Amino acid sequence: MSSASPLPGATNDPVMPRVSLPRVVFGSSALGNLYQALPFERKIELVSGWFEHGEEPVVIDTAGKYGAGLALESIGDCLRELKIAPEQVRVGNKLGWYRIPMVGDEPSFEPDAWIDLENDAEQRLNAEGIVECWEQGNELLGEPYRPSMISVHDPDEYLAAAADEADRERRGADLLAAYGELSKIRDSEPGVTLGVGSKDWRVVRDLAGRVDFDWVMLANCVTAYTHPAESLEFIDRLSKRGVAVVNSGVFNAGFLVGGAYFDYHPVERASEPELFDWRDRFDQLCEKHGVNRAHACIQFGLSPPGVQSVALSTTSPGRIAQNIRYANEATPAAFWAEAKQIGLVAKDYPYLG
């Protein structure tokens, strides 16, 4: 997909966001059995915790890719079990993966990631396929619920898989055709908004020159570890256009808080020592200032003025209230001042310290 002039219609004047979102959007990959198979009782506890501690309407982020639709099914089953009224919840469905029967013992779309699945999934990213994904997602979620936030899932990965430049142009045309259909759905379905979920903010920038987004979800793009000035400028321009921004992956897929994965890939100290050195120094700074490292990551993710929400996932119901508290309580300015001084955070980062 060739580049275009991004964000037509942006203004320097304050603009009301097209979509009002809570500080925390709840990720649902755990309900699709990401890395572990949760019993239904635990899934009920998680969803119940969202409504006990979250701001209504609770916003749930999900996708047909999550467990080949298992997350969608689990959300619907839990909402019905808990007797949640449709007006209490807004479900965001990232589209582009379609459930198909499983052939063999393991799903083909992301081996080793999803546990105990009964179905597989395939990518369908074109005009016809995206409508099929929308219709199947509605069926999997089930009545009386219906997604009200729709998007294409990981267009950056779809483009990156191109064999050559001609294939990338074809894939770019597929994306635009898919968004053409999603725009029709938004126009015909009351209350539906249109967005995008991507791990590469530059792909979102290019799409934003062609698609009229209401919101965007950026994953692993602005974290305490990585926060290029260009991405911050882009978020600022989005906000001046009234586009709401959800910051996802604020822990860089768990690594910043002690996990074994960085941006969804396993990492080891021997092969990527600079990552582990950064985390060691981050941990030491957090201990020195008495700041929980998850609290620091969440507050950093919310610090750009254009960011309305962070998307957070957990398998532990006990962490839900804590995450919401971390999203609403500031961390000390002295902590961020020292983080800049010792090179953990860019010295010219404008929003903290």
Side-chain angles (χ1 to χ4, degrees), residues 188-218:
S188 63
E189 296 270 344
V192 169
T193 60
L194 183 60
V196 62
S198 175
K199 301 179 186 70
D200 188 337
W201 67 269
R202 294 164 299 184
V203 170
V204 177
R205 178 193 60 193
D206 290 345
L207 282 169
R210 299 166 167 81
V211 181
D212 184 26
F213 291 129
D214 300 304
W215 55 271
V216 304
M217 179 177 287
L218 303 176

Side-chain angles (χ1 to χ4, degrees), residues 164-328:
D164 51 35
E165 189 57 35
D167 188 28
R168 184 179 173 90
E169 287 295 324
R170 180 189 63 79
R171 288 168 178 261
D174 284 345
L175 285 173
L176 294 177
Y179 267 114
E181 295 302 317
L182 293 184
S183 295
K184 294 176 186 177
I185 292 171
R186 173 179 58 183
D187 293 344
S188 63
E189 296 270 344
V192 169
T193 60
L194 183 60
V196 62
S198 175
K199 301 179 186 70
D200 188 337
W201 67 269
R202 294 164 299 184
V203 170
V204 177
R205 178 193 60 193
D206 290 345
L207 282 169
R210 299 166 167 81
V211 181
D212 184 26
F213 291 129
D214 300 304
W215 55 271
V216 304
M217 179 177 287
L218 303 176
N220 305 332
C221 296
V222 176
T223 73
Y225 179 80
T226 178
H227 40 273
E230 296 88 351
S231 66
L232 301 175
E233 180 185 352
F234 175 58
I235 289 173
D236 182 61
R237 298 208 313 273
L238 284 171
S239 69
K240 289 173 179 174
R241 188 182 171 185
V243 179
V245 177
V246 180
N247 195 356
S248 178
V250 296
F251 308 130
N252 286 106
F255 181 82
L256 302 191
V257 290
Y261 288 77
F262 179 84
D263 290 358
Y264 310 108
H265 302 292
V267 289
E268 297 181 357
R269 188 179 291 270
S271 58
E272 301 193 61
E274 72 286 348
L275 276 177
F276 287 84
D277 174 67
W278 187 96
R279 188 170 71 181
D280 290 344
R281 294 188 298 124
F282 180 63
D283 289 349
Q284 292 163 10
L285 183 66
C286 287
E287 184 175 356
K288 176 181 177 180
H289 286 266
V291 173
N292 183 285
R293 55 190 178 180
H295 190 184
C297 291
I298 289 170
Q299 279 295 306
F300 191 96
L302 284 163
S303 62
V307 173
Q308 276 201 41
S309 312
V310 287
L312 301 175
S313 300
T314 181
T315 59
S316 173
R319 289 184 180 169
I320 295 171
Q322 180 188 69
N323 284 343
I324 292 173
R325 178 165 58 84
Y326 286 163
N328 287 285

Side-chain angles (χ1 to χ4, degrees), residues 10-178:
T11 173
N12 290 324
D13 298 323
V15 176
M16 287 294 294
R18 302 181 184 191
V19 181
S20 178
L21 299 171
R23 294 279 279 180
V24 175
V25 168
F26 297 106
S28 65
S29 56
L31 274 63
N33 291 0
L34 181 63
Y35 302 130
Q36 60 179 306
L38 297 184
F40 185 70
E41 293 73 20
R42 173 73 72 84
K43 295 179 181 182
I44 281 281
E45 285 186 76
L46 286 168
V47 177
S48 178
W50 297 345
F51 287 87
E52 179 181 355
H53 302 290
E55 176 186 340
E56 291 189 9
V58 166
V59 177
I60 303 171
D61 170 57
T62 193
K65 190 178 187 181
Y66 293 171
L70 177 61
L72 276 158
E73 285 184 319
S74 297
I75 290 167
D77 290 343
C78 290
L79 293 175
R80 283 183 288 272
E81 180 79 12
L82 294 167
K83 296 181 170 54
I84 301 297
E87 59 270 20
Q88 293 177 271
V89 61
R90 292 158 66 187
V91 176
N93 190 9
K94 301 192 292 288
L95 302 164
W97 289 85
Y98 189 87
R99 173 184 283 186
I100 59 173
M102 180 110 74
V103 177
D105 299 327
E106 189 176 18
S108 62
F109 67 102
E110 276 186 340
D112 302 322
W114 306 97
I115 309 302
D116 290 352
L117 299 189
E118 297 178 357
N119 301 281
D120 205 343
E122 66 179 13
Q123 198 166 40
R124 296 190 181 180
L125 260 182
N126 53 33
E128 180 181 2
I130 209 73
V131 174
E132 292 170 341
C133 292
W134 158 253
E135 292 172 346
Q136 185 184 71
N138 296 343
E139 293 172 3
L140 292 173
L141 183 62
E143 296 292 344
Y145 311 104
R146 199 168 178 85
S148 61
M149 299 172 67
I150 56 175
S151 65
V152 168
H153 197 181
D154 291 336
D156 51 322
E157 293 184 0
Y158 185 66
L159 292 172
D164 51 35
E165 189 57 35
D167 188 28
R168 184 179 173 90
E169 287 295 324
R170 180 189 63 79
R171 288 168 178 261
D174 284 345
L175 285 173
L176 294 177

